[in-house]
Amino acid sequence: MRERYVCLDCKKRKRGGYFSLREAADEVKCPYCGSTRVKKLS
């Protein structure tokens, strides 16, 4: 099961920012901008 996330900083800049990770990490970082302000999608 892949976890889906959205980066709030990228979304604020109108750049999408949706990504998924294979395993849930303790601290999730956006692969595009490196921000830790991400929200897990259900």
Side-chain angles (χ1 to χ4, degrees), residues 5-27:
Y5 297 92
V6 60
C7 175
L8 301 176
D9 286 344
C10 286
K11 194 170 182 180
K12 193 166 67 177
R13 292 191 211 110
K14 307 273 193 291
R15 287 212 179 92
Y18 291 92
F19 61 98
S20 60
L21 298 176
R22 290 194 198 284
E23 65 275 343
D26 294 338
E27 185 179 51

Side-chain angles (χ1 to χ4, degrees), residues 2-3 6 8-9 11 16 21 24 27 29-32 34-36 40 42:
R2 295 177 72 127
E3 304 288 337
V6 60
L8 301 176
D9 286 344
K11 194 170 182 180
L21 298 176
E27 185 179 51
K29 283 188 177 177
C30 175
Y32 308 115
S35 171
T36 55
K40 186 176 181 181
S42 55

